[in-house]
Amino acid sequence: MDESLQQIANSIALIMQVDSGTAATASVAPIASVCASSGMHALTVFVLACFVGYYVVWKVTPALHAPLMSVTNAISSVIIVGAIFAATQHLYCYSRIFGFLAIVLASVNIFGGFTITHRMNERNKGIMKDNGK
Amino acid sequence: MIIDLLYLVAAVCFILALKGLSSPESASSGNFIGIAGMIFACLAAYLSTDLSNVVLTLLAVCIGGSIGVCIARSLSMTALPQMVAGFHSLVGLAAVLVAFSAYYAPEVFKIVGEFGRIYKSSLIEMGLGVAIGAITFSGSLIAFAKLHEIYKGTNVPKELNAFLGSSILCLLIYFVLTDSQCAFWLLTFLSFVLGATLIAPIGGADMPVVVSMLNSYSGWAASGIGFTLHNDLLIITGALVGSSGAILSYIMCKGMNRSLFNVIFPSGQDDFSAEKGAATVRPYQKGSAEDAAFILKNAKSVIVVPGYGMATSQAQHALKEMGDLLKRNGTIVRYAIHPVAGRMPGHMNVLLAEANVPYEDVFELDEINRDFATCDVAYVIGANDVTNPAAKNDPSSSIYGMPIFEVDKAKTVLFLKRSMGTGYAGVDNELFYAQNTMMLLGDAKKTTEAIVKAL
């Protein structure tokens, strides 16, 4: 998996360097320098993260697809970060209200999602213990 | 610097949380790593603001958190699919709210260019984020209602969805060009409508795909907001969740031998109002619990095929009891789980785990399908379409090509079913009338309990 990621990173680095007309050196490090513009940087992060997600999720056993859904549900509520920005500023009233609402919603999700996942995992652990006896 | 480092650590934690799920042993610690990641993320967010209103925001977290914990604690595992759908809708709505707060406070998020106007690129990302978020919200609400069986579904003409989709696209372009507040609100509203009309016509059997697809959407929405806020953590996490949901949808579609396009845009017009009853009356063997117990007692190997019917009747505990009795008798008892059994990915596994069924006894489609030919009894409990031989033999059938359990090869098939109606796909099952099939009509839990008693 690490190898293929390295390859992907290399090929992305290559493509972008060809586009920007700079000399091509195939390693992961140049990515940061090539995508100095923030838009390109964000896109690079996004694409690489998609590949990481792809490889990690294919390794999940089908028996654990339900906890996978609930844990992804919980971590997608990391959007709470944006809500915290909005709620802790004092310039704009509307924004603050939206921010507070978003914090409440996201934290329902975070706490709920992790709790459900924990319940399922405890169940699984219990079974393994029973069988160990 | 510290803040960026914290974001990075949080992102790594989330990746490890997903990686933990590759085996049941590491799943639990993975969950805790995920929680740690979330704490790092929030810490970083607080450190990068000027800390006004901190107490109020923590109060908001407490309110939301206690609601979340209460729901998650009181939830029965049977209701898991609708709960997950409900949680997805919250992510969607939160994304919409964050996009709105970014729109009304651009300076705070550092997305303002010259003359106090928001960057065009940020407008694109914001528009996309809000649209995906809104579709996730209303779509998940409809999915929740359908899974909770308070709403059956309606037919929506394809043209309406196409019209809504293209208007949203036009509005998005208009919004980016003019930065019009009106367009932003209208865009959000139309996306809410589109989410509802997209999910409303999708049939009950396709719900596993819908739930995982909405999971994917909620990730893309988070990613979109991450682009707007120039926050790498949000982008990474959104991409992780998005690809996870996409992979699950793909696995589900493959389990039904259908394309994602075909599921999202159903071609046939389903009749949601009428009950799908048995069309023809044909002779079949009807058995009692005592007959079934007798057959099971004499069997050397039994394969249980659970389906959604087991979930609705909560039969998993009775099933486990039956399995234990048979095992004590020297019978080999195994459980076969189809990828699309139940209403969400992994639904059956969770229910069997709840009843303490050991892992080694649970098998997937490819692992066990060959063994039906050598087993004495196939115990089909609340599953229908995933056993229908028409998927193999009848090219005209709507489920033709779907990989199925070759239950018909077993010496005896005990088929637990509420009535002689057809399955969700509305296809008659040839298996009911086969020579080696014994139908046990009635509530799956009661029937299984009766068998346990007779054993």
Side-chain angles (χ1 to χ4, degrees), chain A residues 41 45-46 61-62 64 66 69 72-75 78 85 87-88 90 92 95-96 108-109 114 119 121 123-124 131, chain B residues 21-22 27 31 48-50 52-53 64 72-73 75 87 91 101 104-105 107 215 223 232 237 350 356 358-359 364:
Chain A
H41 165 83
V45 170
F46 175 73
T61 57
L64 294 177
M69 293 212 84
T72 48
N73 199 347
I75 65 172
V78 73
F85 289 153
T88 50
H90 41 69
Y92 299 92
S95 241
R96 209 155 54 220
V108 171
N109 225 320
F114 281 127
R119 267 184 64 188
N121 288 335
R123 211 52 265 173
N124 291 343
N131 295 323
Chain B
L21 288 168
S22 53
N31 195 35
S48 53
T49 60
D50 55 4
S52 56
N53 293 325
R73 281 265 170 86
L75 175 74
F87 278 151
V91 183
S101 51
Y104 283 109
E107 284 94 338
N215 185 18
S223 238
D232 286 350
T237 316
V350 172
N356 269 327
Y359 261 115
E364 285 165 55

Side-chain angles (χ1 to χ4, degrees), chain B residues 4-80:
Chain B
D4 286 334
L5 204 62
L6 276 175
Y7 280 141
L8 179 65
V9 173
V12 172
C13 285
F14 290 151
I15 294 172
L16 290 177
L18 295 189
K19 194 179 173 298
L21 288 168
S22 53
S23 87
E25 287 88 5
S26 57
S28 199
S29 55
N31 195 35
F32 285 111
I33 296 174
I35 295 173
M38 193 56 83
I39 294 171
F40 288 134
C42 291
L43 200 65
Y46 276 115
L47 285 179
S48 53
T49 60
D50 55 4
L51 292 179
S52 56
N53 293 325
V54 170
V55 182
L56 271 177
T57 54
L58 288 178
L59 191 71
V61 172
C62 289
I63 296 172
S66 40
I67 297 173
V69 172
C70 283
I71 295 174
R73 281 265 170 86
S74 58
L75 175 74
S76 90
M77 284 298 167
T78 319
L80 193 65

Side-chain angles (χ1 to χ4, degrees), chain B residues 37-240:
Chain B
M38 193 56 83
I39 294 171
F40 288 134
C42 291
L43 200 65
Y46 276 115
L47 285 179
S48 53
T49 60
D50 55 4
L51 292 179
S52 56
N53 293 325
V54 170
V55 182
L56 271 177
T57 54
L58 288 178
L59 191 71
V61 172
C62 289
I63 296 172
S66 40
I67 297 173
V69 172
C70 283
I71 295 174
R73 281 265 170 86
S74 58
L75 175 74
S76 90
M77 284 298 167
T78 319
L80 193 65
Q82 51 261 49
M83 227 47 261
V84 168
F87 278 151
H88 286 156
S89 75
L90 298 183
V91 183
L93 192 57
V96 172
L97 287 169
V98 173
F100 265 85
S101 51
Y103 184 68
Y104 283 109
E107 284 94 338
V108 177
F109 295 94
K110 302 186 186 70
I111 48 173
V112 200
E114 287 171 65
F115 315 117
R117 303 190 70 171
I118 304 177
Y119 293 126
K120 290 275 180 266
S121 60
S122 300
L123 286 179
I124 299 174
E125 293 148 5
M126 203 183 278
L128 278 175
V130 89
I132 302 172
I135 291 172
T136 312
F137 171 67
S138 53
S140 303
L141 273 190
I142 299 288
F144 173 85
K146 279 187 152 186
L147 289 163
H148 211 62
E149 284 168 9
I150 46 180
Y151 169 67
K152 274 214 172 99
T154 358
N155 281 319
V156 176
K158 265 189 221 165
E159 294 76 20
L160 179 65
N161 283 339
F163 171 72
L164 280 172
S166 43
S167 347
I168 287 172
L169 211 62
C170 294
L171 268 173
L172 185 64
I173 296 167
Y174 180 74
F175 168 66
V176 173
L177 292 178
T178 61
D179 189 7
S180 139
Q181 190 176 329
C182 194
F184 193 53
W185 281 90
L186 196 58
L187 175 72
T188 315
F189 174 73
L190 283 186
S191 304
F192 277 134
V193 178
L194 178 65
T197 54
L198 264 182
I199 304 301
I202 299 180
D206 293 337
M207 270 307 159
V209 184
V210 171
V211 175
S212 33
M213 208 173 68
L214 290 168
N215 185 18
S216 181
Y217 284 179
S218 69
W220 302 133
S223 238
I225 300 300
F227 275 106
T228 317
L229 309 186
H230 299 306
N231 187 312
D232 286 350
L233 176 64
L234 252 63
I235 297 175
I236 294 172
T237 316
L240 287 177

Side-chain angles (χ1 to χ4, degrees), chain A residues 7-128:
Chain A
Q7 275 171 10
I8 293 154
N10 285 347
S11 49
I12 289 173
L14 272 175
I15 293 163
M16 287 191 319
Q17 279 168 345
V18 170
D19 279 355
S20 56
T22 50
T25 43
S27 80
V28 190
I31 290 187
S33 59
V34 171
C35 17
S37 68
S38 89
M40 208 54 226
H41 165 83
L43 201 60
T44 312
V45 170
F46 175 73
V47 172
L48 289 180
C50 283
F51 278 104
V52 173
Y54 179 84
Y55 284 106
V56 173
V57 172
W58 269 119
K59 287 243 168 89
V60 175
T61 57
L64 294 177
H65 276 164
L68 173 68
M69 293 212 84
S70 60
V71 88
T72 48
N73 199 347
I75 65 172
S76 64
S77 304
V78 73
I79 208 155
I80 196 172
V81 168
I84 290 174
F85 289 153
T88 50
Q89 48 84 25
H90 41 69
L91 294 169
Y92 299 92
C93 182
Y94 277 144
S95 241
R96 209 155 54 220
I97 296 169
F98 286 139
F100 273 115
L101 282 176
I103 288 184
V104 174
L105 294 178
S107 42
V108 171
N109 225 320
I110 293 172
F111 283 76
F114 281 127
T115 312
I116 294 184
T117 317
H118 181 68
R119 267 184 64 188
M120 288 193 253
N121 288 335
E122 283 303 291
R123 211 52 265 173
N124 291 343
K125 251 195 202 163
I127 297 170
M128 283 187 292

